[in-house]
Amino acid sequence: MFCFGVEHEVAFLNHQGKFADFHNTKFADFQQIIDRLPIYATDYPQLRVGDAGIKKKRWYIEGFERFSDSEEVIDCLAKGIEIRTTIHSTIQGAITELTESFCLLREVASTFNFTPVLVSFNPYTCVFNPQPPLNDYEIRQLQAYPDEQTAHIYMVSYGPDLNISWENLSTEKLIDIGKKLTYYSPYIIPFTYSSPFYNADLWSGLSVRTFIRTGKRPAVLVFVEKSEDLIKSVPSLTKIARIPSEVGRIEFKACDSCDDFTIYAGLLALLKGLVLDETLSGRAIIPDAELHQISAKYGFENEDIFANTSKILQVAEIALKDDPDVEFLTPLKVILSEQKTKSHKLIKLFQNLGSIESTFKEGYSSFR
């Protein structure tokens, strides 16, 4: 049996119509929204709460936690709000819950004059320097975990985690699938490109998020049960499961954010097909940064990217066979045939409107 889940980061404009980030938005500004959202007792123990207690609901503030000279969390520099779904046995179940949670977040956020906008990379700030500077305890913590040293990337980027697991996979097979998805990541992610802005202007490609983060941050994370199963790599491919429900989870982390959740459904179906497939031979422990950068600049306009995406889409369709989930691939086929991503639409809007904020306001239009 397969299981599915989605984690989706949401960025906002504030009451002044300005992009809300750690420069102008406090933890409390977003927490007042979280406080008004419901808690579902049946979500637990499948959802992780964490030591700081920030992740108590399906919605929580995504940011950079600050510590005293001990394990005590004293602040969290906020970048936005993350939605996470519970674990579902169907793709549709996960997408339906994500849609309901987003609509509720949007409704509550509006009462505090925050408007969700489609962003995958901070359009104004490309550098995150925590203030005040890190203390000795925080520096030691970051040095102990190499992936945590990339806070300067994740605090300015937004994107989903697409979670999939398959019952009774051996640890060896689980990690092999993680290597496989890491290898084919540059051909999967162009369906989602939505970050064409950088430093308050248009960037020279389609996904500045991918261009900057991949190679430094993982494309895929595989959660294993035992420390002896970990593979040492930077960025990490494997991670120890923090709660039992995480064991065997494969997180695909390389996509830009989407405001059309049918694309997430298509990607989950694509991942499912690639998990089932036994023909593709490509494997990688760490993402190919150069290939991801080519993908980020040109997307499907690059012949190699287009050809390999076409191949894996066909492979996934064959692997799914008569599975009804094969229908979720349809939006991906349309994007591929048109060779146009969300970034193409955002670029055109910006050229017509002349304003990044006005362009952002056109995001999530299907939810109005």
Side-chain angles (χ1 to χ4, degrees), residues 4 107 112 123 125 134 140 162 177 185 201 225 333 352:
F4 308 92
E107 179 184 334
F112 297 100
T125 300
L134 300 178
R140 288 196 303 271
L162 301 173
I177 291 170
S185 170
D201 205 347
E225 187 175 9
K333 292 179 181 178
N352 290 334

Side-chain angles (χ1 to χ4, degrees), residues 156-201:
V156 294
S157 61
Y158 302 75
D161 289 344
L162 301 173
N163 302 328
I164 184 170
S165 61
W166 194 15
E167 203 172 38
N168 298 323
L169 275 181
S170 68
T171 302
E172 182 182 9
K173 181 63 175 174
L174 183 72
I175 293 173
D176 184 65
I177 291 170
K179 293 177 182 177
K180 180 181 187 178
L181 297 180
T182 297
Y183 180 89
Y184 290 102
S185 170
Y187 313 118
I188 297 170
I189 55 179
F191 291 113
T192 68
Y193 285 163
S194 62
S195 52
F197 300 109
Y198 182 77
N199 202 21
D201 205 347

Side-chain angles (χ1 to χ4, degrees), residues 327-338:
E327 296 300 324
F328 288 124
L329 297 177
T330 300
L332 305 189
K333 292 179 181 178
V334 172
I335 294 170
L336 186 62
S337 67
E338 296 176 350

Side-chain angles (χ1 to χ4, degrees), residues 49-328:
V49 175
D51 297 333
I54 293 172
K55 302 179 179 181
K56 290 181 177 177
K57 298 182 177 182
R58 294 181 183 179
W59 309 261
Y60 64 87
I61 296 168
E62 184 71 26
F64 183 80
E65 294 174 3
R66 300 302 308 267
F67 294 83
S68 64
D69 287 323
S70 67
E71 295 181 359
E72 180 190 4
V73 177
I74 56 174
D75 195 10
C76 180
L77 306 180
K79 75 167 186 178
I81 293 177
E82 180 154 318
I83 304 169
R84 55 181 176 171
T85 69
T86 53
I87 300 169
H88 290 264
S89 59
T90 66
I91 293 173
Q92 187 58 61
I95 298 303
T96 297
E97 184 188 310
L98 175 64
T99 303
E100 292 170 351
S101 289
F102 176 81
C103 289
L104 191 52
L105 172 62
R106 182 173 168 271
E107 179 184 334
V108 173
S110 69
T111 65
F112 297 100
N113 296 310
F114 282 97
T115 305
V117 289
L118 177 66
V119 175
S120 294
F121 194 87
N122 192 310
Y124 300 106
T125 300
C126 52
V127 176
F128 169 70
N129 290 317
Q131 296 297 329
L134 300 178
N135 60 42
D136 290 343
Y137 174 81
E138 291 172 318
I139 292 170
R140 288 196 303 271
Q141 287 294 102
L142 292 182
Q143 289 173 341
Y145 301 99
D147 286 353
E148 294 302 316
Q149 294 174 31
T150 54
H152 63 287
I153 296 175
Y154 77 69
M155 280 297 288
V156 294
S157 61
Y158 302 75
D161 289 344
L162 301 173
N163 302 328
I164 184 170
S165 61
W166 194 15
E167 203 172 38
N168 298 323
L169 275 181
S170 68
T171 302
E172 182 182 9
K173 181 63 175 174
L174 183 72
I175 293 173
D176 184 65
I177 291 170
K179 293 177 182 177
K180 180 181 187 178
L181 297 180
T182 297
Y183 180 89
Y184 290 102
S185 170
Y187 313 118
I188 297 170
I189 55 179
F191 291 113
T192 68
Y193 285 163
S194 62
S195 52
F197 300 109
Y198 182 77
N199 202 21
D201 205 347
L202 282 176
W203 185 60
S204 59
L206 301 173
S207 177
V208 67
R209 176 185 186 271
T210 298
F211 194 90
I212 288 174
R213 82 175 288 283
T214 311
K216 301 178 181 71
R217 300 279 293 172
V220 179
L221 261 186
V222 176
F223 287 86
V224 297
E225 187 175 9
K226 301 173 183 176
S227 58
E228 54 261 37
D229 295 324
L230 292 172
I231 295 175
K232 192 172 183 179
S233 66
V234 180
S236 298
L237 173 69
T238 53
K239 187 172 184 176
I240 289 287
R242 296 155 295 186
I243 56 176
S245 64
E246 281 187 338
V247 176
R249 176 186 297 178
I250 301 165
E251 285 188 357
F252 191 83
K253 306 176 73 70
C255 292
D256 279 11
S257 289
C258 296
D259 62 350
D260 178 356
F261 296 159
T262 64
I263 298 174
Y264 288 162
L267 290 166
L268 285 170
L270 176 60
L271 295 177
K272 181 179 178 180
L274 294 179
V275 169
L276 290 168
D277 165 69
E278 297 287 349
T279 66
L280 294 173
S281 59
R283 301 293 187 273
I285 292 176
I286 60 173
D288 184 328
E290 184 179 357
L291 190 54
H292 277 84
Q293 290 185 337
I294 292 170
S295 179
K297 289 277 285 187
Y298 307 108
F300 297 133
E301 293 163 18
N302 178 274
E303 290 183 9
D304 175 66
I305 300 297
F306 179 81
N308 279 285
T309 301
S310 301
K311 177 183 176 181
I312 63 170
L313 194 56
Q314 184 179 36
V315 163
E317 188 169 19
I318 292 169
L320 288 169
K321 297 179 185 175
D322 298 325
D323 190 318
D325 286 348
V326 74
E327 296 300 324
F328 288 124

Side-chain angles (χ1 to χ4, degrees), residues 343-363:
S343 280
H344 288 91
K345 296 177 183 177
L346 294 172
I347 291 167
K348 190 172 182 179
L349 277 169
F350 175 74
Q351 290 170 338
N352 290 334
L353 298 171
S355 160
I356 290 177
E357 287 87 357
S358 297
T359 300
F360 284 161
K361 287 177 182 177
E362 298 301 314

